[in-house]
Amino acid sequence: EVQLVESGGGLVQPGGSLRLSCAASGFTFSSYAMSWVRQAPGKGLEWVSVITGSGDTTYYADSVKGRFTISRDNSKSTLYVQMSSLRAEDTAVYYCAKAPGCSSTSCSRYYMDVWGKGTTVTVSS
Amino acid sequence: QSVLTQPPSVSAAPGQRVTISCSGSSSNIGNNYVSWYQQLPGTAPKLLIYDNNKRPSGIPDRFSGSKSGTSATLGITGLQTGDEAGYYCETWDSSLSAVVFGGGTKLTVL
């Protein structure tokens, strides 16, 4: 069974840091791009970042560029996002998702076919 | 303000058909593929449509997608109460080098 399980969420003060993890199973992790998507309370979906299967290409939303770093360990089938300089507006449920339509050469067929259940990040003093 | 524009809400009676529109530009919908997601209350999003009009395994053919120019449409026929959910369109934006979502549409089955 294909599965994604996020962890690492919690309460953090403004300006603080947090690292989220996403453990993947049931598919060849290194063959697929992976993404983070977030959803603030009562709001819509907001894409955060994507990393290609080999890890050689990354893209970020402007709202997190320079503060978040996406990475992956293919030997552990795990996706990460290191979040720093956190703000109240980063409060959200963070989902990881498998993105088979994105490669090192093109993401024009981008879509996310498997999602985790999410982990909650709250930025507050 | 989302890059892709969706109506905030739509409603229809059980058994009826509804469409949800998603409007963008040449840098996103106009030159890339569109996907649609369903998010039931309190759950993670689920892929409904990819590559403009393809359905993943397990998605019933009541759900359909289409694209024309810089707009896309999700169609749902034979509405059921279980279809009450948020629906989001998504695509790649070549100018932003980023994924963009629509603001989401809440479907109410009256």
Side-chain angles (χ1 to χ4, degrees), chain B residues 30-89:
Chain B
N31 284 284
N32 295 293
Y33 292 85
V34 177
S35 308
W36 290 90
Y37 302 86
Q38 177 193 60
Q39 187 176 33
L40 297 170
T43 69
K46 179 172 77 172
L47 178 67
L48 281 182
I49 298 289
Y50 68 102
D51 286 359
N52 301 331
N53 54 20
K54 297 178 182 174
R55 283 176 287 106
S57 172
I59 300 300
D61 59 7
R62 299 189 299 108
F63 296 91
S64 64
S66 64
K67 188 184 102 166
S68 179
T70 59
S71 293
T73 301
L74 173 71
I76 310 173
T77 60
L79 276 173
Q80 303 172 2
T81 54
D83 296 331
E84 285 204 335
Y87 292 84
Y88 296 87
C89 58

Side-chain angles (χ1 to χ4, degrees), chain A residues 28-111:
Chain A
T28 305
F29 183 71
S30 60
S31 295
Y32 297 97
M34 296 293 296
S35 271
W36 289 98
V37 175
R38 67 185 182 183
Q39 187 169 35
K43 302 295 185 183
L45 301 175
E46 180 187 15
W47 175 79
V48 172
S49 183
V50 63
I51 184 169
T52 53
S54 62
D56 60 352
T57 303
T58 58
Y59 297 102
Y60 296 92
D62 284 346
S63 58
V64 306
K65 203 171 291 183
R67 300 187 300 121
F68 288 16
T69 301
I70 192 171
S71 63
R72 62 192 298 158
D73 185 335
N74 286 343
S75 69
K76 296 181 179 179
S77 295
T78 302
L79 173 72
Y80 305 99
V81 63
Q82 178 68 46
M83 306 184 295
S84 60
S85 302
L86 283 163
R87 308 165 179 165
E89 53 265 37
D90 295 317
T91 294
V93 175
Y94 284 74
Y95 298 100
C96 69
K98 175 172 163 274
C102 186
S103 70
S104 298
T105 53
S106 173
C107 287
S108 67
R109 287 187 62 235
Y110 190 96
Y111 62 97

